[in-house]
Amino acid sequence: MKLFSSVNDVVDVQSLVKEALHLKQNPYAYEHLGKHKTLGLIFLNPSLRTRISTQKAGTNLGMNVMVLNIDKEGWALELQDGAIMNGGTVEHIREAAGVLGQYVDIIGVRSFPGLKNRDADYSEDVFNKFVKYCGVPVVSLESATRHPLQSLADLVTIEELKTKARPKVVLTWAPHVKALPQAVPNSFAEWMCRADVDFTITHPEGYELCTDFTNGATITHNQDEALADADFIYVKNWSAYEPYGKVFGGYEDWMLTNDKLKPTNNAKVMHCLPVRRNLELSDEILDGQNSIVIHEAGNRVWAAQAVLKQMLETL
Ligand code: AN0
Ligand code: CP
């Protein structure tokens, strides 16, 4: 694998999931693979899980791992082609990415959307420039429109904990105070549409996701109806796709509570984290028996390790 930016870069999703679960049982079985190989993790935005789990995944494979919070510690990056750089930016992404590619064998990049210009965000302008100019294999650590390492870990978690062959999985919108990207729900939807699950998306009117990611899903504005008989509930906030990046107030009652779990099949509750307590998810859910959010975050290591292993094998 030379690029991991979406589910479309994976030849066999089911075997990648199996690989992750195998690595969970045998974390150091391939520590020779990454000997004398360097992984560079480049962050243009904050992170806890992605940074530490991917660092650990690389280390388990014997790699040397370096992290650069380029937004804070690097030179101010210019992203526009043809820019006359007489303002605040000091280094163009062409040189920055090209130079990083000289030092490392695989690069991970996190670059959130601006949520102002939909065409720029959905063209994955920043992420694709890194891919184009660094010259080495690239793993997305969450780009403008997708978070594939998260979605792989989510699918691994569902495969690991499901109690029936084809579980019902529900993605439900949750309230928030800020405009958040559509990357996590887009990505989760596109992975679930490729998995052997019965997949439903529920959100208030106005929060429709781009249909490129939701082909094959059942979509409803009725949260109660969606949650009936659910085996897994994936909770996430996102801002509107149209009008782009907007939020509409007044949906506080979309927060998941124990009461809403009653018609479910004792559903396990997932969230990519970070989560705002008692806004997106109630204390009673997060601290209760149904929450698997910590377990899910733990699986980020094995998802990242499975992807890095496949990349190392094709270096
Ligand atoms: C980010 C998002 O929603 O994309 C990162 C999630 C992994 N979340 C926040 O900004 C709170
Ligand atoms: N879920 C996730 O990607 O978390 P971080 O933003 O902390 O990496």
Side-chain angles (χ1 to χ4, degrees), residues 41-277:
L41 302 177
I42 313 302
F43 289 89
L44 284 84
N45 312 95
S47 170
L48 186 158
R49 281 142 290 271
T50 306
R51 172 182 169 155
I52 302 295
S53 64
T54 312
Q55 189 163 2
K56 184 170 160 99
T59 307
N60 286 353
L61 289 164
M63 300 184 83
N64 176 31
V65 188
M66 301 194 289
V67 178
L68 177 60
N69 298 310
I70 203 167
D71 58 326
K72 297 185 192 72
E73 299 155 2
W75 297 106
L77 270 191
E78 178 59 56
L79 303 168
Q80 290 305 319
D81 288 325
I84 298 169
M85 290 171 54
N86 58 1
T89 57
V90 181
E91 174 154 50
H92 201 279
I93 191 168
R94 289 182 181 233
E95 282 77 45
V99 169
L100 286 165
Q102 299 289 305
Y103 303 146
V104 305
D105 301 283
I106 298 174
I107 286 188
V109 178
R110 167 164 284 198
S111 142
F112 285 177
L115 292 179
K116 300 237 171 341
N117 179 338
R118 186 167 86 185
D119 289 344
D121 287 348
Y122 272 70
S123 73
E124 291 289 4
D125 188 41
V126 179
F127 181 81
N128 286 340
K129 280 181 171 146
F130 264 99
V131 173
K132 187 169 173 190
Y133 299 121
C134 76
V136 296
V138 178
V139 182
S140 166
L141 304 176
E142 186 173 345
S143 68
T145 66
R146 292 177 167 101
H147 193 357
L149 283 179
Q150 179 67 51
S151 311
L152 173 57
D154 296 334
L155 181 54
V156 166
T157 306
I158 289 168
E159 280 297 319
E160 191 185 21
L161 301 180
K162 71 183 184 184
T163 54
K164 60 169 75 124
R166 192 176 160 80
K168 178 172 177 181
V169 178
V170 180
L171 165 63
T172 180
W173 183 92
H176 206 282
V177 284
K178 282 181 62 187
L180 296 193
Q182 295 108 33
V184 171
N186 279 346
S187 195
F188 184 73
E190 111 180 317
W191 283 72
M192 287 304 120
C193 289
R194 292 280 208 94
D196 193 13
V197 300
D198 171 7
F199 182 49
T200 297
I201 303 173
T202 184
H203 55 72
E205 236 176 299
Y207 286 104
E208 283 70 21
L209 293 166
C210 171
T211 52
D212 294 354
F213 301 89
T214 59
N215 248 321
T218 304
I219 303 173
T220 169
H221 296 143
N222 185 330
Q223 192 189 37
D224 294 336
E225 193 181 283
L227 293 179
D229 301 319
D231 296 295
F232 293 90
I233 305 172
Y234 198 89
V235 179
K236 184 71 183 87
N237 169 269
W238 62 87
S239 61
Y241 179 68
E242 173 66 52
Y244 188 59
K246 292 287 173 285
V247 291
F248 323 104
Y251 294 110
E252 291 78 10
D253 59 338
W254 274 70
M255 183 181 74
L256 201 66
T257 55
N258 278 346
D259 237 19
K260 294 196 189 197
L261 288 187
K262 283 181 187 153
T264 73
N265 185 24
N266 195 20
K268 296 178 171 56
V269 179
M270 305 175 70
H271 190 289
C272 64
L273 305 179
V275 67
R276 290 190 182 226
R277 280 178 174 250

Side-chain angles (χ1 to χ4, degrees), residues 1-4 9 131 136-139 310-311 313-315:
M1 203 191 304
K2 297 276 183 220
L3 175 68
F4 183 72
D9 297 318
V131 173
V136 296
V138 178
V139 182
Q310 291 204 355
M311 281 197 166
E313 284 165 346
T314 51
L315 271 186

